[in-house]
Amino acid sequence: MDTADYIDVLDREGRALAAAAAGAGPAAKVPTCPGWQVRDLLRHTGMVHRWATAFVAEKHTSYRPDGGLPDLDGDALLDWFAQGHRTLVDTLAAAPSDLDCWHFLPAPSPLAFWARRQAHETTVHRHDAESARDGAPAEVDPAFAVDGIDELLRGFHARGGSRVRSAEPRVLRIRATDVPDGGGLWTVRLSDAPLETESGSDATDADCEISGPAGGLYLALWNRAPFPEVSGDGAVADLWRATSAVTWS
């Protein structure tokens, strides 16, 4: 996927999130985020959108804290969310390809990073919003899901702050069953260090395999859904579930 593709996804998913939130109502519980109501989801995601926009628009080259959560609710909160989302989309679309600003995962460029990261951030939270209303949430496109799984495994959990650790070395296989030619295949080595992930090969024996359609795996690995299928030592899958949450700090 290129940057323009990510921006298109961000645009579409943010509008779908807002529509689902409006349909569910601000007080509706969010089953995929225990303890949250829709108002919490809107405040959080809208804050993240503004935080990301500031790095791109103002070209900050070092970390800056977020601006905090707004004291808004109801229609005013929905309007605030929609305005921030629109500004993020427009800012990314207008940014130069040689943009220099802070980012926190490996990427071809800072602009590519922020477009990708916000597309996935918003897609996961769109699923959250749709889980709060009647009806099944929309599925995640398999190719986009594969990209997001790769970002999670080889980006977030390759960092020193990841809590996915094992005193005994273990190997976890992730297999997207609807993606051909090894395009949805990862071998993840767990140890007392950050994860080491190899994509596209299953030559190494695995202690546990989590498999299923890419969209389902994406949501499951982000702890939004059950694992589609687990084979081998289920304790490895349990370890992922217990330690892999990515939280805002």
Side-chain angles (χ1 to χ4, degrees), residues 199-216:
S199 61
S201 173
D202 58 0
T204 303
D205 290 338
D207 298 294
C208 175
E209 179 168 303
I210 302 172
S211 60

Side-chain angles (χ1 to χ4, degrees), residues 10 14 17 19 61 79 98 124 144 150 155 160 168 174 177 186 188-189 212 218-219 230 235 242:
L10 169 62
L17 191 164
T61 56
D79 290 344
D98 62 352
V124 170
F144 183 71
D150 200 72
E168 176 188 356
I174 308 293
T177 54
W186 298 265
V188 184
R189 292 176 173 81
Y218 175 81
L219 294 170
V230 176

Side-chain angles (χ1 to χ4, degrees), residues 212-223:
L217 285 176
Y218 175 81
L219 294 170
L221 292 168
W222 274 105
N223 295 311

